[in-house]
Amino acid sequence: MFEAVLWISVTFISLAMIGLIYRVIKGPTVADRVVALDAIGISLVSVIALVSIVLETSAFLDIILLIGILAFIGTVAFSKFLEKGVIMEYDRDGNR
Amino acid sequence: MTEMEIVKFFAGLFILLGAFLSLVTAFGLIRLPDVYTRNHAASKSATMGVMLVLLGTFLYFWLIEHHFNSRLLLGVVFIFLTSPVAGHLIARAAYNSGVKLSDRTVQDDLAKARKKLEAEGHSK
């Protein structure tokens, strides 16, 4: 029973990721693609949690934090780049 | 029902709800008309979905495998903190880089406020 619930959940999340990949490919603007990529990163976290239940190991659970941090930093860098054209600013006043 | 079955029922319920919310996220991202509404779908239901899945996983590892995994709780807290921030940043970047709102949008208060500021002579 519990196994069946796990596989149904993995199927749901995989379908969700396919829909998000459609939005990454088609998305009219760059911001659409960044939103969809962020959501893919978040979905990947739940896939990893389910895989570690299925394989009955806790070795993958560190990767959850890693992927969460990478998705967040990627989104922040992309939004800075979209807004200002640079990721790191050089002057220290911040008023380009 | 034994204790194990009750724990498995609740863990499975949380995980299934979380997976369903992920599906709702994808549906919202495909169907909604412009970046801002899609961003709303992504940053709310995806956060809730992944938090429910991680909570179910945490309950399973704690009560079935007797392994209190604090990293899962840390992941829940971290995603709860960072996902709204990421959504806000990307929406602001989209607005400032000139992405149009959809045709069905009723009001745009930020554009009104900016026009008023420019009329008063402030730069930007």
Side-chain angles (χ1 to χ4, degrees), chain B:
Chain B
M1 279 168 94
T2 61
E3 185 188 349
M4 286 280 180
E5 283 175 349
I6 296 173
V7 169
K8 277 188 178 175
F9 174 76
F10 277 105
L13 189 70
F14 280 137
I15 290 174
L16 200 61
L17 270 179
F20 178 72
L21 278 178
S22 295
L23 207 57
V24 170
T25 303
F27 194 71
L29 251 81
I30 292 174
R31 289 286 297 165
L32 286 172
D34 65 348
V35 184
Y36 308 101
T37 48
R38 279 175 206 145
N39 191 12
H40 145 86
S43 64
K44 287 179 187 67
S45 61
T47 310
M48 192 70 201
V50 75
M51 278 169 65
L52 281 177
V53 170
L54 288 185
L55 189 65
T57 313
F58 172 72
L59 281 181
Y60 178 81
F61 273 107
W62 186 24
L63 298 171
I64 304 278
E65 313 249 327
H66 302 290
H67 176 228
F68 186 91
N69 202 314
S70 57
R71 274 158 281 171
L72 275 173
L73 284 183
L74 238 142
V76 170
V77 171
F78 186 78
I79 286 174
F80 184 67
L81 286 181
T82 58
S83 182
V85 176
H88 170 75
L89 279 176
I90 189 64
R92 194 176 68 176
Y95 195 92
N96 284 338
S97 64
V99 177
K100 291 273 182 292
L101 279 72
S102 92
D103 298 334
R104 282 179 278 172
T105 306
V106 190
Q107 66 175 9
D108 184 2
D109 284 338
L110 187 53
K112 249 187 281 177
R114 283 204 174 157
K115 207 173 285 175
K116 202 173 134 197
L117 272 184
E118 275 177 20
E120 286 170 3
H122 296 285
S123 66
K124 201 164 184 186

Side-chain angles (χ1 to χ4, degrees), chain A residues 23 32 58 61-62 79 83, chain B residues 29-30 38 69 71 96:
Chain A
R23 180 53 72 192
D32 279 308
S58 61
L61 295 180
D62 298 332
S79 58
E83 196 168 353
Chain B
L29 251 81
I30 292 174
R38 279 175 206 145
N69 202 314
R71 274 158 281 171
N96 284 338

Side-chain angles (χ1 to χ4, degrees), chain A residues 22-37:
Chain A
Y22 164 78
R23 180 53 72 192
V24 169
I25 293 172
K26 182 164 174 287
T29 63
V30 185
D32 279 308
R33 297 192 170 101
V34 178
V35 168
L37 277 176

